[in-house]
Amino acid sequence: MEQSLKETIRQDPKKILGVNPLDAKVSLSYLTVAFVSLLIGGILGLVQGLERAGLIDLPSWLNYYQVLTAHGLLLLLVFTATFSIGYLYANLSHALGGLLPKVRKFAWVGFVLMIIGVAMAVTMIVLNEASVLYTFYPPLAAHPIFYIGLVFVVLGIWACCAGVFINYRHWRKNHPGQVTPLLAYFTMAVFVLWFFATIGVTIEVFTLIPWSMGLVETTNVMVGRTLFWWFGHTLVNIWYLVAISAWYVFVPKIIGGRHFSDKLIRLVVILVVVLNIPGGFHHQIIDPAISQSIKFLHVFMSLSIAVPSLMTAFAMFAVFERTGRKLGGKGLLGWLKKLPWGDVRFLAPMIAMISFIFGGAGGIVNTSNQLNQVIHNTMWVVGHFHITVGVSVVLTFFGICYWLIPYLAKRKLTPKMNKLGIIQTVIWTVGMIIMSGSMHIVGLLGDPRRTSDTTYGGHEAAAGWIPFEMLFAVGATLLLIGVIIQVYAVFNMMFFAPKGLTEYPVAEPEDDATPAPMWTERWGLWIVLLLAVVAMAYVVPIVDMILNAPPGSPPIRTW
Amino acid sequence: MKTTEAIKSEKQLNNDDEKSLRGTLVSVGFVAAVIVVMWVAVFWIYMERV
């Protein structure tokens, strides 16, 4: 680790010393909110797991669905969004030589808007006025303030999008004929997706506000669900794109290698951006009101997202093998032993990548029409997104923390902190294997998700689920221990670790690599293709849902 | 003592070994196997239940 730091300082000191302190403050503020959310959301996760296992009874002022909504919103939206923004803005600053002053302002405006929005939404959940689950689609109706809070969150994200687009445009103008640095390219892609993902949910929320206020009597549930999943599934791939930016750009450097191919990486990014949004339909694959032929189309549109994932699997294995062999690894798999398993900056994202093999395979099951009928709305789905988001994405985020936070805070990762990170990673992995594994199995046995009590009057089939539900609680307990260690590590590295310089571990291409072609920079074209794919997927079913609308639903409160 | 030819061919062998992606092929084969096994297993459950 030290050798490569010295080398990098010698070769290009800017790579070590580059980030503007004002930019670092932006990123650190977002990361602070992220890890406070993780702590609260993690505690709520354990509460939920214990209640579901029947080990505790919640007090009368708190209900299961309230806890479930807060857990989902804080972790799936607030934690992931604020972490991603903090991390990507740091990458943008590093790659483009600092943020423009007005871009920094956009980032701060976004920060304030998001804090206001989250405060409004969470207050309504705490007051038990918005136990509508993380998916918040109709007919469940929250208090209007909950939806208005979400509007603020979206406005905050748009402010961050605007900042990135301005900075990108400025760099492009000043660097004609050059391809954007890879980190900035990933950042641009993520924010393009953020922008188009949030259009769907914004339209949905604007129809729900007058409905929840009583100004409109009914709403079209099918359109609401469809617009939600337009956003909801794209969000999944936003996390994925953020995670693979670290796999492709930082992990190779950390293990002492080079990245695989600039061209392949950019092609993966383009495919994820273009193909992504219609994937939302596989969440509705057994919904009524969508014709069979449209569903058939959507199975293939959803499965197309597997293509860039499989390209990533190949590229990452190739990076590991090349590096391991250069380090002396022999035989078919001897190179695996040469990888730095004792370095948390590698171990955490590596486990994240391994888990994605199983998470991705589970995703293909979910997307297949008949197979979805086996697992639809069962605990399998909960297990699936805990292994994909909770390990593939979150462990990557945790791994990033061990170099990004010391770098931003001008501190060092100590061997002791590295060891703690390894322990945290092991606890997290074991906890998630127990919890997510048991969720997958019990889901196949029929245990439903989003249900507080599943004893069904002591029915024999339901009784068979109980041992697995106990395992949820065991796994959730380990995960909360993991959350506490991670939050401690983050704030220790932010404020108390020894002062010093940390490397921003950006991998270089191979010596004989061909440079990335300029056509990859044609964002206008990628956006047109994205819109064409969205039109192909959405126009027919949405028009059908509106023209042949069933009676609308009034607002419903089930709690 | 090794001849120049022998050293050259050993170097070539080492170089080939460094560039080999046999392990990658096996690894992506493992990914494919996980996908197929999981898909077939759940499809089998589906067929059992319909």
Side-chain angles (χ1 to χ4, degrees):
Chain A
M1 204 186 301
E2 276 186 18
Q3 183 60 35
S4 94
L5 180 63
K6 275 181 195 164
E7 264 176 29
T8 317
I9 292 174
R10 198 169 50 239
Q11 287 160 4
D12 189 356
K14 270 190 197 163
K15 288 224 166 3
I16 304 291
L17 309 166
V19 163
N20 183 328
L22 294 172
D23 299 349
K25 210 177 272 179
V26 171
S27 289
L28 286 169
S29 303
Y30 274 98
L31 294 172
T32 301
V33 174
F35 283 94
V36 170
S37 306
L38 178 73
L39 182 61
I40 302 169
I43 293 168
L44 294 172
L46 178 61
V47 169
Q48 205 186 125
L50 295 175
E51 210 267 354
R52 179 72 192 246
L55 296 171
I56 59 165
D57 284 319
L58 293 178
S60 57
W61 46 267
L62 192 65
N63 73 63
Y64 179 80
Y65 301 100
Q66 210 176 347
V67 175
L68 184 56
T69 308
H71 171 73
L73 196 81
L74 285 172
L75 295 188
L76 289 178
L77 192 60
V78 184
F79 169 67
T80 58
T82 48
F83 183 92
S84 303
I85 295 169
Y87 160 73
L88 293 170
Y89 262 77
N91 284 348
L92 195 70
S93 169
H94 185 268
L96 303 187
L99 302 176
L100 296 170
K102 69 174 161 193
V103 170
R104 214 176 292 124
K105 274 184 200 154
F106 271 104
W108 281 118
V109 168
F111 183 78
V112 172
L113 287 169
M114 286 175 78
I115 295 287
I116 294 170
V118 170
M120 289 167 82
V122 169
T123 305
M124 288 302 110
I125 299 170
V126 171
L127 295 174
N128 201 19
E129 291 288 341
S131 299
V132 287
L133 313 185
Y134 144 73
T135 44
F136 62 82
Y137 43 61
L140 291 181
H143 193 282
I145 291 177
F146 174 81
Y147 300 117
I148 295 167
L150 295 179
V151 171
F152 275 91
V153 173
V154 170
L155 288 173
I157 289 167
W158 284 357
C160 294
C161 291
V164 170
F165 301 157
I166 291 167
N167 226 119
Y168 175 84
R169 183 96 191 116
H170 177 265
W171 192 91
R172 280 249 53 86
K173 262 190 178 173
N174 292 296
H175 297 80
Q178 290 181 38
V179 286
T180 324
L182 207 41
L183 283 175
Y185 194 78
F186 267 107
T187 306
M188 183 67 185
V190 172
F191 281 92
V192 165
L193 269 186
W194 264 120
F195 181 73
F196 286 100
T198 46
I199 287 177
V201 80
T202 305
I203 300 169
E204 182 205 353
V205 166
F206 276 118
T207 63
L208 297 184
I209 290 172
W211 174 70
S212 64
M213 285 172 155
L215 302 173
V216 175
E217 277 184 22
T218 62
T219 191
N220 187 324
V221 171
M222 278 309 298
V223 173
R225 284 172 63 80
T226 304
L227 291 173
F228 175 82
W229 283 120
W230 164 325
F231 161 78
H233 189 76
T234 311
L235 182 61
V236 172
N237 281 295
I238 286 171
W239 305 326
Y240 169 67
L241 202 49
V242 175
I244 67 168
S245 71
W247 301 352
Y248 275 122
V249 182
F250 300 113
V251 170
K253 178 74 178 179
I254 289 165
I255 65 173
R258 305 287 184 95
H259 64 61
F260 181 73
S261 154
D262 210 330
K263 197 171 169 181
L264 176 136
I265 298 171
R266 286 170 205 256
L267 186 60
V268 165
V269 171
I270 293 165
L271 287 173
V272 174
V273 169
V274 170
L275 298 174
N276 206 315
I277 295 177
F281 266 107
H282 80 261
H283 293 257
Q284 297 175 264
I285 211 156
I286 64 167
D287 273 15
I290 303 173
S291 72
Q292 211 165 1
S293 52
I294 290 288
K295 283 182 181 174
F296 195 73
L297 170 78
H298 284 139
V299 166
F300 285 97
M301 293 188 94
S302 299
L303 283 175
S304 67
I305 303 170
V307 175
S309 299
L310 293 171
M311 288 164 72
T312 300
F314 166 74
M316 292 314 299
F317 280 127
V319 166
F320 295 142
E321 182 166 11
R322 277 182 185 171
T323 311
R325 287 194 187 279
K326 268 184 199 156
L327 296 172
K330 299 278 176 210
L332 192 61
L333 295 170
W335 44 272
L336 276 169
K337 284 188 234 158
K338 297 290 174 184
L339 300 176
W341 297 98
D343 185 341
V344 66
R345 302 173 309 156
F346 165 72
L347 181 70
M350 184 62 176
I351 292 175
M353 285 181 248
I354 294 168
S355 77
F356 193 61
I357 298 172
F358 300 95
I364 292 175
V365 167
N366 301 348
T367 312
S368 307
N369 198 342
Q370 290 87 345
L371 278 64
N372 189 284
Q373 294 175 50
V374 177
I375 53 86
H376 197 86
N377 263 344
T378 68
M379 287 307 294
W380 165 288
V381 177
V382 186
H384 169 71
F385 65 70
H386 275 89
I387 202 165
T388 47
V389 185
V391 188
S392 302
V393 172
V394 170
L395 258 190
T396 303
F397 288 4
F398 288 175
I400 290 168
C401 289
Y402 292 96
W403 55 263
L404 179 63
I405 292 176
Y407 175 88
L408 293 172
K410 300 213 180 295
R411 292 174 190 275
K412 283 197 291 193
L413 171 66
T414 60
K416 213 170 143 188
M417 185 54 77
N418 181 58
K419 204 172 171 186
L420 187 68
I422 299 276
I423 294 168
Q424 195 281 340
T425 306
V426 171
I427 291 174
W428 191 265
T429 307
V430 173
M432 209 51 106
I433 289 171
I434 294 172
M435 192 178 85
S436 174
S438 55
M439 284 172 168
H440 274 90
I441 297 168
V442 81
L444 291 174
L445 300 174
D447 194 358
R449 68 171 175 152
R450 297 169 154 175
T451 313
S452 154
D453 178 67
T454 50
T455 53
Y456 296 104
H459 188 279
E460 194 188 328
W465 302 333
I466 293 171
F468 294 97
E469 289 169 358
M470 291 294 172
L471 288 174
F472 303 171
V474 173
T477 307
L478 287 172
L479 290 169
L480 183 62
I481 295 169
V483 164
I484 291 166
I485 297 174
Q486 186 64 30
V487 172
Y488 165 78
V490 163
F491 289 107
N492 183 285
M493 289 186 288
M494 218 182 262
F495 299 111
F496 306 109
K499 292 266 184 194
L501 296 174
T502 296
E503 178 189 13
Y504 212 88
V506 180
E508 300 291 334
E510 296 279 0
D511 290 332
D512 54 355
T514 45
M518 273 308 287
W519 58 258
T520 56
E521 295 286 335
R522 300 185 64 184
W523 282 104
L525 178 62
W526 312 139
I527 290 169
V528 168
L529 287 177
L530 175 155
L531 292 173
V533 170
V534 166
M536 201 163 99
Y538 283 87
V539 171
V540 173
I542 287 191
V543 167
D544 191 36
M545 285 168 198
I546 293 169
L547 293 182
N548 301 305
S553 172
I556 290 176
R557 275 177 69 121
T558 51
W559 64 95
Chain B
M1 197 166 176
K2 284 179 184 172
T3 61
T4 325
E5 284 285 299
I7 293 170
K8 252 187 185 174
S9 96
E10 196 175 298
K11 264 189 182 170
Q12 182 64 35
L13 209 67
N14 284 344
N15 203 23
D16 284 350
D17 200 44
E18 262 191 25
K19 285 186 174 170
S20 164
L21 288 178
R22 282 176 296 145
T24 301
L25 183 66
V26 172
S27 306
V28 293
F30 172 72
V31 174
V34 170
I35 293 170
V36 171
V37 167
M38 206 185 267
W39 199 94
V40 170
V42 182
F43 187 67
W44 180 77
I45 295 173
Y46 170 77
M47 292 305 285
E48 285 288 300
R49 291 179 185 175
V50 288

